[in-house]
Amino acid sequence: MKSLLQAAAVGLAMATTMGSTTAKAAEPEPVYELRIYTTNEGKLPDLLKRFRDHTCALFEKHGMSNLGYWVPVDKENGADNTLIYVLSHKSREAAKESFKAFGADPEWKQVREASEANGKILAKPPESIFMTRTEFSPELKVSASDPERVFELRTYTTNEGKLPELHARFTNHTCKLFEKHGMTNLCYWTPIDAEQGHNNKLIYILAHKSKEAGLASFGTFRADPVWIAAKGESEKNGSLTVPQPEGVKSVYMKPVDFSKIK
């Protein structure tokens, strides 16, 4: 009798675990949104203050999840006038509804008006790219490191029909080699919309101890015989990316004080 009860208990535990796993597996993958803001001269501190004091909380109020917020490290990439951040949404439709509610929120209207009493903050409309995580991407971990890390936003544009081959190279070689040479894979995405590169762009973020560490890591990575062989094999029928400067773009970024990812 005791053994039967034990067997029943084990069966119940297994069923509960399987049910929990199934429920977890059924959770839909979020949609990510990369947003880039360019401010008028001298207005970046005003934009950061508005996000710090109001915007981030209003985003959460309306169903959006704040992930990482960064400003470029280098002046030529917008250190004085650019904010780059990533949100997550339950779906593309949810994002649309969230921004609609956010834009209509009386608190937001009041905050926006007050923050722009001495002139408009943004020099142009925000750039928005909706994205989905690639199959080889790690799950995006929202965490802060001490000391804070430097992050690198990298965008690859492939030649026609070459995106699957680029994904295969990252799956089989690149991601592991990045880690080998001291880089942290944060997340990898492809744009959802065709006009923003669904068929020819890979967007990802790496974390480094510093910009200098990132540059050094890429130096040893490019000299690695395993990488040289993998690159050569994958490009025996031609380069996977379009010629520079459009083929591979890199922006080193530092997290702002209110970023959840640091």
Side-chain angles (χ1 to χ4, degrees), residues 45 54 70 73 76 86 92 107 130 138 143 158 179 213 216 222 238 246:
H54 304 285
W70 304 272
V73 169
E76 60 267 28
V86 176
R92 185 70 177 274
E107 182 181 350
F130 283 95
S143 62
T158 71
E179 295 284 350
R222 293 188 181 104
E246 295 302 315

Side-chain angles (χ1 to χ4, degrees), residues 155-214:
T155 304
Y156 287 21
T157 302
T158 71
N159 284 300
E160 186 176 356
K162 293 291 188 178
L163 186 60
E165 293 176 53
L166 182 65
H167 281 195
R169 191 167 75 188
F170 270 85
T171 300
N172 298 324
H173 304 286
T174 312
C175 289
K176 290 180 286 231
L177 286 168
F178 280 172
E179 295 284 350
K180 173 184 175 182
H181 292 284
M183 298 178 265
T184 301
N185 298 295
L186 198 70
C187 201
Y188 291 78
W189 302 279
T190 50
I192 291 175
D193 299 316
E195 63 269 23
Q196 292 185 321
H198 176 70
N199 296 314
N200 71 337
K201 286 191 186 296
L202 172 66
I203 300 171
Y204 65 98
I205 296 178
L206 299 174
H208 309 284
K209 291 181 180 178
S210 65
K211 179 182 176 181
E212 292 72 23

Side-chain angles (χ1 to χ4, degrees), residues 13-247:
M14 290 178 64
T16 302
T17 301
M18 290 176 64
S20 175
T21 302
T22 302
K24 185 175 181 180
E27 292 178 3
E29 174 76 12
V31 166
Y32 297 88
E33 185 183 7
L34 173 67
R35 293 177 68 86
I36 302 173
Y37 287 17
T38 303
T39 71
N40 285 308
E41 186 176 355
K43 291 291 186 179
L44 183 58
D46 292 339
L47 179 66
L48 296 181
K49 176 176 172 55
R50 191 166 75 185
F51 268 87
R52 180 187 302 110
D53 296 345
H54 304 285
T55 311
C56 288
L58 287 169
F59 279 174
E60 295 282 349
K61 173 184 175 181
H62 293 290
M64 297 177 268
S65 295
N66 299 294
L67 299 175
Y69 285 80
W70 304 272
V71 293
V73 169
D74 301 307
K75 188 177 179 66
E76 60 267 28
N77 288 325
D80 298 330
N81 68 350
T82 303
L83 173 65
I84 300 169
Y85 66 98
V86 176
L87 300 174
S88 69
H89 309 276
K90 291 181 179 179
S91 67
R92 185 70 177 274
E93 185 60 32
K96 181 180 178 181
E97 293 302 316
S98 290
F99 270 110
K100 181 179 178 181
F102 166 79
D105 192 311
E107 182 181 350
W108 163 243
K109 291 180 179 179
Q110 182 180 2
V111 164
R112 181 177 182 178
E113 183 178 352
S115 67
E116 298 190 337
N118 296 317
K120 286 183 64 64
I121 289 179
L122 295 185
K124 60 182 181 179
E127 179 182 354
S128 168
I129 303 174
F130 283 95
M131 313 175 296
T132 54
R133 201 160 55 100
T134 66
E135 290 185 0
F136 60 85
S137 175
E139 184 176 347
L140 180 59
K141 294 180 180 179
V142 179
S143 62
S145 175
D146 186 17
E148 289 183 5
R149 301 168 289 180
V150 163
F151 297 81
E152 185 182 5
L153 174 65
R154 294 177 66 85
T155 304
Y156 287 21
T157 302
T158 71
N159 284 300
E160 186 176 356
K162 293 291 188 178
L163 186 60
E165 293 176 53
L166 182 65
H167 281 195
R169 191 167 75 188
F170 270 85
T171 300
N172 298 324
H173 304 286
T174 312
C175 289
K176 290 180 286 231
L177 286 168
F178 280 172
E179 295 284 350
K180 173 184 175 182
H181 292 284
M183 298 178 265
T184 301
N185 298 295
L186 198 70
C187 201
Y188 291 78
W189 302 279
T190 50
I192 291 175
D193 299 316
E195 63 269 23
Q196 292 185 321
H198 176 70
N199 296 314
N200 71 337
K201 286 191 186 296
L202 172 66
I203 300 171
Y204 65 98
I205 296 178
L206 299 174
H208 309 284
K209 291 181 180 178
S210 65
K211 179 182 176 181
E212 292 72 23
L215 294 173
S217 291
F218 267 108
T220 58
F221 163 79
R222 293 188 181 104
D224 192 311
V226 177
W227 164 244
I228 293 171
K231 186 176 188 294
E233 177 63 23
S234 67
E235 297 191 344
K236 60 186 178 183
N237 295 319
S239 176
L240 300 188
T241 57
V242 301
Q244 290 296 89
E246 295 302 315

